[in-house]
Amino acid sequence: MALTLKTGTSWADAWQRSLATAPEAFRDDRVLNLWDAGWRADGRVLPATSPVDGTPVAGPPRLDGDTARRAVRAALDQHRAWRHVPLAERRARIAATLDALAAHRELLALLLVWEIGKPWHAAQADVDRAIDGVRWYVDGIEPMLAGRAPLDGPVSNIASWNYPMSVLVHALLVQALAGNAVVAKTPTDGGVACLTLACALAAREGVPVTLVSGSGGELSEALVRAPEIGCVSFVGGRDTGAAVATAVADLGKRHVLEQEGLNTWGIWKCSDFDALTAVLPKLFDYGKQRCTAYPRFVVQRELFDAFLAAYLPAVRTLRFGHPLAVEQPGGPFPRLDFGPLINAAKAKELTDQVALAVDRGAVPLYRGSLAGARLLPGQDTSAYVPPVTLLDPPPSSPLHHAEPFGPVDTIVLVDTEAELLAAMNASNGALVATLSTDDRATFDRLAPQIRAFKVGHGVPRSRGDREELFGGFGGSWRGAFVGGELLIRAVTWGPAGERLPGNFPEYHLMP
């Protein structure tokens, strides 16, 4: 039976619902920028298409540097007023924003599906994590803010496109709850309509939020280096992150910079391969387009046959395709492991990297096929990449040392503990890692030598944004660590001489 699009879920449906929900923020076929407490039809709108099937969608209205500087100066005025708003009122406004987000949960999720290709259940989870995460802070904020004050200027947020709600909107609302005005740049690759709707709902409640679009190079002077900015929060790749890190270090500015790293899963003297088979499909969530994805397995050579017996059946069960394709127009959404990559250019880049690695000696152990994907008849499939597994990518291949940010696994075989650690530390620091080994003493001995911030014993680790501390080692993180109360501490002033947990020099901590 040919699949069809679920009734009422087209991009046109989502756009009309957005226009009706927040007419102040959406106009005809474009979204607006939000600055100086007003929605503005400025900026040069770039064309954009959905990774799902090539449908034209709203593009980012890119501002120039001069306009961005005006927006930041206006945000400082908002900050100076907001920092004196009583906490009870800030809590009430943020709580009202959360209620509004919850009321429009399905529309926000539908926008995420079309703009960044998330499967329906993953898009809903992204919205829910943002709402539930911020509500945790609303309910328990008083002791976190005891003896603390907002920063001297607004917090600037530059984030990647993959988690607009649970990372970016979550950060904005917690920063505002702590007494700061907030500025955010929409990711260039997707999420502008979802973020615009979320910020419109927040602005209606009087939350001082600025949302602008533009190229990182043109806006960095305003969003990173401007003296009005009190803190820079960045989530993205190492190249851009390194430039941001240099700027904030020169200026002595408070910063939280989360960057990529090659997260690895080690297999050493392990026999519980049933547990690995059970968890493997979950590791492909959202096509491994996540900062805590595991794209590299480092396997003890003598266990390679047992590893493959556990790995290959699991990877063959993966379901991917069009997130909104159903058997009947009114039928339930499919439960997919992933949909498309963020765009056709990224899909081609990753496919070319796989071909290059194989050409230079990597062994293809598994190749999925679009023939097994859930797709609509005749749809554009240029952003889809089936899962691929490669053995021993050569050192000359990008897949040897950098995360692919797509559904490509690489396997490296090792014979000694020293080789195991070297292979697991290939990217000079990572956010998470896992070591599967039967012996707890072996884990306790090796785990501290793995250069990842969180190391799991046979289980995957995640980012975490409540009680648990989160940061990174080496090139994967710069500045303040976050999580729970530490997120509040990262965007507020505390007692004189306070040392914030993080990996920056002391002179960056307090004025």
Side-chain angles (χ1 to χ4, degrees):
M1 178 186 297
L3 300 176
T4 186
L5 190 68
K6 185 175 175 69
T7 301
T9 64
S10 70
W11 170 254
D13 293 324
W15 185 254
Q16 289 303 314
R17 290 171 62 185
S18 299
L19 285 169
T21 301
E24 70 272 28
F26 297 83
R27 182 173 302 173
D28 299 326
D29 61 349
R30 65 169 291 169
V31 298
L32 308 184
N33 288 300
L34 171 60
W35 60 275
D36 197 13
W39 291 96
R40 305 172 188 277
D42 50 12
R44 180 170 61 93
V45 180
L46 293 185
T49 58
S50 169
V52 170
D53 62 2
T55 295
V57 297
R62 295 162 66 108
L63 296 182
D64 57 37
D66 289 340
T67 307
R69 282 189 286 272
R70 291 169 57 200
V72 168
R73 286 194 291 270
L76 178 61
D77 292 336
Q78 289 181 304
H79 180 83
R80 287 170 171 166
W82 179 254
R83 72 195 309 271
H84 297 295
V85 171
L87 176 57
E89 184 175 343
R90 298 201 306 264
R91 284 184 62 184
R93 294 188 188 186
I94 299 297
T97 300
L98 297 178
D99 291 342
L101 293 174
H104 297 286
R105 169 182 182 256
E106 291 199 358
L107 175 54
L108 291 163
L110 185 58
L111 291 171
L112 287 181
V113 172
W114 280 108
E115 292 192 286
I116 62 174
K118 285 208 167 188
W120 176 251
H121 72 279
Q124 286 186 309
D126 194 23
V127 177
D128 292 342
R129 282 197 297 268
I131 296 170
D132 295 343
V134 178
R135 209 177 293 279
W136 182 85
Y137 286 93
V138 169
D139 293 341
I141 191 62
E142 286 91 344
M144 299 184 199
L145 284 176
R148 310 193 68 80
L151 298 176
D152 300 326
V155 181
S156 177
N157 293 267
I158 304 169
S160 56
W161 44 265
N162 51 346
Y163 286 92
M165 292 295 298
S166 62
V167 172
L168 186 50
V169 170
H170 177 277
L172 296 177
L173 295 180
V174 174
Q175 293 160 5
L177 180 63
N180 303 289
V182 292
V183 180
K185 186 182 91 67
T186 61
T188 302
D189 287 326
V192 60
C194 177
L195 285 168
T196 298
L197 178 57
C199 288
L201 299 175
R204 284 181 182 178
E205 303 302 334
V207 179
V209 57
T210 295
L211 182 68
V212 296
S213 294
S215 72
E218 192 161 14
L219 268 56
S220 64
E221 190 68 26
L223 300 184
V224 176
R225 303 190 69 92
E228 294 90 346
I229 296 297
C231 175
V232 176
S233 176
F234 171 86
V235 179
R238 289 194 181 186
D239 291 343
T240 303
V244 173
T246 299
V248 294
D250 290 346
L251 299 168
K253 202 182 288 288
R254 185 75 68 88
H255 56 285
V256 181
L257 310 180
E258 178 184 334
Q259 299 166 117
E260 63 187 336
L262 183 60
N263 306 316
T264 59
W265 193 303
I267 308 291
W268 187 259
K269 296 183 178 179
C270 172
S271 62
D272 188 7
F273 287 99
D274 289 342
L276 184 65
T277 300
V279 77
L280 269 165
K282 300 174 185 176
L283 302 183
F284 278 85
D285 181 56
Y286 194 31
K288 302 208 173 192
Q289 297 177 105
R290 300 179 292 117
C291 66
T292 54
Y294 287 82
R296 166 68 53 81
F297 290 90
V298 181
V299 182
Q300 187 176 6
R301 190 180 306 273
E302 66 182 63
L303 298 178
F304 184 45
D305 57 342
F307 171 82
L308 279 186
Y311 177 91
L312 291 176
V315 77
R316 291 188 180 112
T317 68
L318 295 173
R319 289 165 56 87
F320 68 102
H322 192 304
L324 304 173
V326 294
E327 280 78 12
Q328 300 292 337
F333 289 108
R335 187 79 179 184
L336 302 178
D337 296 293
F338 59 95
L341 298 192
I342 185 58
N343 53 47
K346 173 60 183 177
K348 182 180 185 305
E349 173 190 293
L350 189 55
T351 300
D352 289 347
Q353 288 180 352
V354 169
L356 178 65
V358 172
D359 183 63
R360 294 182 177 179
V363 178
L365 297 177
Y366 179 79
R367 292 182 190 266
S369 169
L370 287 183
R374 292 176 55 91
L375 300 169
L376 299 181
Q379 76 160 81
D380 184 332
T381 61
S382 58
Y384 290 80
V385 174
V388 176
T389 308
L390 300 180
L391 175 65
D392 284 336
S396 60
S397 164
L399 296 177
H400 178 81
H401 52 77
E403 64 174 327
F405 229 62
V408 174
D409 278 346
T410 58
I411 300 172
V412 174
L413 302 183
V414 295
D415 296 297
T416 67
E417 289 184 356
E419 289 179 312
L420 173 80
L421 293 171
M424 294 189 72
N425 293 330
S427 68
N428 180 31
L431 300 177
V432 297
T434 291
L435 179 60
S436 290
T437 182
D438 294 343
D439 181 40
R440 180 71 202 197
T442 298
F443 175 83
D444 292 340
R445 178 169 50 82
L446 296 179
Q449 302 178 68
I450 298 171
R451 295 284 292 166
F453 194 78
K454 294 182 179 182
V455 181
H457 186 191
V459 296
R461 300 305 310 271
S462 65
R463 189 177 193 276
D465 56 10
R466 296 188 183 184
E467 297 93 338
E468 193 172 28
L469 174 69
F470 191 54
F473 287 140
S476 69
W477 196 282
R478 309 284 181 89
F481 293 157
V482 296
E485 182 181 357
L486 293 184
L487 177 54
I488 298 296
R489 290 171 63 184
V491 295
T492 55
W493 294 126
E498 176 185 49
R499 293 174 60 101
L500 292 180
N503 53 15
F504 40 31
E506 290 184 29
Y507 63 82
H508 290 155
L509 303 189
M510 297 293 295

